[in-house]
Amino acid sequence: MSNWAIRSSATSYWFIVRKMTQVYEDIILPAYRAHKRLFALLIDPDKCSDERLSSIRNAVGSYTPDIILVGGSLVLGSTSNAVALCHKFFPQTPVILFPGDETQLTPEAEAVMLLSLVSGRNPEYLIGQHVRASVKIKQMNLQTIPTGYILVDGGNTTAVQYISNTMPIPSDKTEIAVATALASEQLGHKMVYLEGGSGALNHVPAEMIRSVRKMINIPLIVGGGLKCADDIREVFDAGADIVVVGSAIERNPEIIRILCTQY
């Protein structure tokens, strides 16, 4: 069998495995119940290229993230191409869409994180985008993971704050974040995402993470403003079940190896 045929066969095998895997039920929920920490790599389609993914792949060696998220607040490039590249370089890792709007949907991904910006009061990001996306999601046969998205002040104005036209929860208002997360769970969301925002100066405070973790009984995701391994350790120790890292890896791809070996 030729090398091309071997690679093609392997690619087809992992395509079938990924499509058969229920990302939430088979990966996220069991890890949460077993108190196993997961690492999610966030890929911005506008910064995604063959060279970039190749450098990340080479930097991590045999280690891989548990999940890959693809998307952003504003995406001008092709989400479809970004997902294809993620599958090419990380064939065993499920790809979840992390869309800023319905134009970022693509059937190449395994699932979509169906975000409701519950910290804001903009109906466009509470239900408007969801209505426009609903038929596309069904036609694309994408698994949906309803997620309560809570924006927390990270010390500067982030893209998600500007695009969504919503105010973040002040970092010292833990009680508001706790009540919002609890309401999200009661509404039926399967996960809660505390987000400092891409490029945030500060990550979500540990005290806020601890307080939210004590109150809810669904997986807790934390991202934004995580610049180094110490930041990630603090967030995990505070109670995050899944940590999302994007910008830091753009600067130093080898941080993935640290994450995959220590957490």
Side-chain angles (χ1 to χ4, degrees):
M1 182 180 292
S2 69
N3 288 336
W4 179 87
I6 292 173
R7 290 196 299 271
S8 179
S9 177
T11 300
S12 298
Y13 170 75
W14 285 115
F15 174 81
I16 294 171
V17 169
R18 288 195 306 269
K19 283 299 183 181
M20 291 180 62
T21 300
Q22 296 297 309
V23 179
Y24 183 77
E25 288 79 5
D26 296 340
I27 297 176
I28 296 174
L29 198 55
Y32 164 71
R33 290 171 174 167
H35 305 288
K36 176 187 176 184
R37 296 162 169 174
L38 298 180
F39 160 52
L41 169 62
L42 176 60
I43 296 293
D44 182 342
D46 288 339
K47 299 178 181 178
C48 186
S49 65
D50 203 286
E51 293 75 18
R52 185 62 181 151
L53 268 293
S54 179
S55 69
I56 293 176
R57 175 72 270 179
N58 291 336
V60 303
S62 61
Y63 305 107
T64 59
D66 300 295
I67 297 165
I68 294 177
L69 303 181
V70 174
S73 300
L74 177 65
V75 173
L76 303 177
S78 171
T79 303
S80 178
N81 288 344
V83 171
L85 285 173
C86 290
H87 284 155
K88 174 182 176 181
F89 289 100
F90 297 94
Q92 301 178 41
T93 304
V95 176
I96 303 175
L97 296 177
F98 183 62
D101 59 55
E102 51 91 17
T103 65
Q104 296 178 31
L105 296 174
T106 176
E108 283 80 8
E110 286 76 76
V112 56
M113 195 177 289
L114 204 57
L115 302 170
S116 292
L117 187 52
V118 292
S119 60
R121 299 297 181 265
N122 186 342
E124 183 69 12
Y125 294 94
L126 287 169
I127 187 61
Q129 286 287 334
H130 308 70
V131 171
R132 281 194 287 277
S134 61
V135 175
K136 287 185 180 180
I137 290 171
K138 187 173 183 63
Q139 291 173 339
M140 292 178 181
N141 196 29
L142 286 169
Q143 303 168 36
T144 58
I145 308 176
T147 302
Y149 194 54
I150 300 175
L151 184 60
V152 179
D153 186 10
N156 59 347
T157 301
T158 58
V160 62
Q161 179 183 344
Y162 183 83
I163 294 296
S164 67
N165 193 27
T166 63
M167 292 293 293
I169 294 175
S171 59
D172 62 343
K173 300 298 182 183
T174 296
E175 69 280 5
I176 297 178
V178 169
T180 304
L182 185 57
S184 178
E185 180 182 18
Q186 292 169 346
L187 281 167
H189 294 143
K190 294 182 178 180
M191 301 191 295
V192 164
Y193 193 138
L194 293 178
E195 170 72 283
S198 178
L201 296 178
N202 309 307
H203 62 74
V204 178
E207 177 57 32
M208 182 179 287
I209 297 169
R210 276 192 292 270
S211 298
V212 170
R213 175 67 283 159
K214 290 177 182 177
M215 187 62 70
I216 64 174
N217 295 300
I218 52 178
L220 176 61
I221 309 169
V222 179
L226 300 168
K227 303 178 182 67
C228 61
D230 287 343
D231 289 345
I232 294 161
R233 184 181 298 110
E234 181 181 2
V235 166
F236 268 136
D237 290 346
D241 301 296
I242 303 172
V243 163
V244 179
V245 181
S247 299
I249 289 167
E250 291 172 9
R251 295 188 296 269
N252 179 19
E254 292 191 359
I255 198 173
I256 298 183
R257 187 179 305 183
I258 297 173
L259 290 169
C260 293
T261 57
Q262 294 187 9
Y263 303 101

